[in-house]
């Protein structure tokens, strides 16, 4: 049975940090859902219930396009090891192009 939390706790953060891969899902009203595997040590959990992730692989065009009209994003981590767990984070996302002033704070976190 699924459990819902209003914030990430320390166990969640430790689980996220232990995973080498995660999935990003976005959608808008006019196109199919896009689900992409990600990794490469590109995600950090920040204070205040925030995550920052650098899209280092793939084109990112579908995700970027979706977020322009609908900022909703789901991130998912899976482990099928000794203690299986699937963790999903639902929230709103914002794209910050790497070399713009909007991304200055986020760049220093990753």
């Amino acid at each position: 049975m699924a459990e819902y939390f209003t914030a990430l706790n320390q166990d969640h953060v430790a689980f996220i940090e232990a995973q080498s891969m995660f999935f990003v899902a976005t959608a808008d009203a006019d196109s199919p859902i896009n689900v992409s595997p990600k990794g490469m040590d590109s995600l950090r959990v920040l204070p205040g219930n925030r995550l920052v992730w650098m899209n280092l692989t793939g084109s990112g065009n579908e995700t970027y396009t979706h977020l322009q009209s609908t900022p909703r994003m789901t991130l998912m981590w899976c482990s099928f090891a000794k203690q299986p767990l699937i963790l999903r984070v639902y929230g709103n996302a914002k794209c910050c192009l790497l070399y713009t002033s909007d991304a200055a704070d986020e760049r220093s976190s990753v």
Side-chain angles (χ1 to χ4, degrees):
M1 184 61 124
E3 289 184 70
Y4 292 89
F5 301 86
T6 58
L8 294 172
N9 62 40
Q10 290 302 331
D11 290 338
H12 297 142
V13 173
F15 178 75
I16 289 168
E17 291 173 348
Q19 304 311 306
S20 60
M21 187 172 87
F22 61 98
F23 297 87
V24 174
T26 58
D28 65 17
D30 300 320
S31 60
I33 296 169
N34 181 53
V35 179
S36 299
K38 302 295 177 182
M40 298 178 63
D41 193 30
S42 60
L43 183 134
R44 297 292 182 272
V45 178
L46 303 178
N49 234 13
R50 294 181 61 218
L51 301 170
V52 61
W53 152 64
M54 291 179 62
N55 190 12
L56 300 173
T57 59
S59 66
N61 291 336
E62 193 76 25
T63 300
Y64 181 81
T65 301
H66 287 166
L67 293 178
Q68 298 313 296
S69 63
T70 308
R72 294 182 312 153
M73 179 181 277
T74 300
L75 299 159
M76 184 179 81
W77 296 264
C78 306
S79 174
F80 303 103
K82 190 182 246 185
Q83 191 169 4
L85 179 65
I86 296 173
L87 176 66
R88 292 180 187 91
V89 172
Y90 305 97
N92 291 318
K94 175 177 85 171
C95 286
C96 298
L97 301 176
L98 188 58
Y99 296 106
T100 64
S101 59
D102 286 346
D105 291 337
E106 286 79 2
R107 263 198 323 268
S108 66
S109 301
V110 177

